[in-house]
Amino acid sequence: MTGNAKFILGEYQRTLDERFRLSIPTEMSDVLTSESNVCILAKERPGCLSLWDASQWDEKMKEGIELIEKKMHAGRLEGRIDEVQMLGRLLSTRHKSISLAGRGRLVIPEGFRSFLGVEPGEEVTIVGAAVCVELWHPTHWLNYLEGRMPEFRQIFDQLSQ
């Protein structure tokens, strides 16, 4: 996270249209597209996708991949080929560059649709997750909230001290 990152908050309901398009609220999309209209869409957990500022995402991924490559070349990952392959598979399918069209509209690409689990005509919950925007299947969102809300005060107090 860079020092000039803006905190993204809010919860909205939007309907996924028949072409798998979804409009992101302006106050959220403007933060993600301050440099260009390109964002990164990432699979987070079943029923949840996230949208990231492309330049922040690319910088973080580049740093992490370079570190792993250095470890591989130095022989520090010997005997861990299964983990490296698993990481490669997940990196290959985890994220995709997408463009936000007018009014913050995006098309959820194939491969991400089933992961989100929302069909055209159904609602999607859009949540500001401080550093990114998350797209949730409403049932998964409610389950997540029910499990995490009791921890709110403790997390807030720890992070704000």
Side-chain angles (χ1 to χ4, degrees):
M1 288 181 285
T2 61
N4 61 357
K6 294 184 181 179
F7 221 63
I8 306 170
L9 298 176
E11 178 183 40
Y12 303 87
Q13 296 294 320
R14 296 290 189 267
T15 302
L16 191 64
D17 78 7
E18 68 282 346
R19 294 187 193 161
F20 291 93
R21 294 179 301 189
L22 186 69
S23 291
I24 305 300
T26 304
E27 54 269 39
M28 293 177 163
S29 63
D30 285 352
V31 174
L32 295 174
T33 59
S34 59
E35 294 181 27
S36 74
N37 67 339
V38 176
C39 294
I40 301 298
L41 184 65
K43 297 172 183 171
E44 290 295 335
R45 59 189 56 82
C48 179
L49 303 173
S50 59
L51 279 169
W52 295 83
D53 173 280
S55 61
Q56 289 179 353
W57 177 275
D58 290 342
E59 183 179 319
K60 189 69 173 166
M61 289 299 291
K62 182 180 175 186
E63 290 173 5
I65 290 170
E66 285 177 0
L67 180 59
I68 293 167
E69 286 176 336
K70 286 178 184 177
K71 286 181 177 184
M72 287 174 61
H73 292 303
R76 292 176 44 207
L77 296 179
E78 291 294 322
R80 297 178 70 186
I81 190 71
D82 290 344
E83 290 174 86
V84 173
Q85 284 180 299
M86 183 186 326
L87 178 64
R89 288 183 205 108
L90 295 173
L91 280 172
S92 293
T93 188
R94 181 168 187 250
H95 64 278
K96 182 177 185 113
S97 292
I98 61 162
S99 294
L100 291 185
R103 297 177 304 184
R105 191 169 56 213
L106 68 94
V107 176
I108 298 176
E110 286 187 45
F112 288 75
R113 296 170 185 170
S114 59
F115 197 82
L116 180 59
V118 177
E119 295 296 324
E122 294 181 347
E123 293 289 311
V124 174
T125 303
I126 301 172
V127 178
V131 297
C132 69
V133 173
E134 293 180 338
L135 313 176
W136 284 85
H137 183 288
T139 303
H140 289 267
W141 174 238
L142 184 59
N143 291 340
Y144 181 84
L145 269 183
E146 288 173 348
R148 297 290 186 213
M149 195 57 80
E151 301 170 38
F152 170 78
R153 175 54 60 193
Q154 179 183 359
I155 293 168
F156 184 81
D157 289 347
Q158 288 174 352
L159 292 175
S160 64
Q161 291 180 1

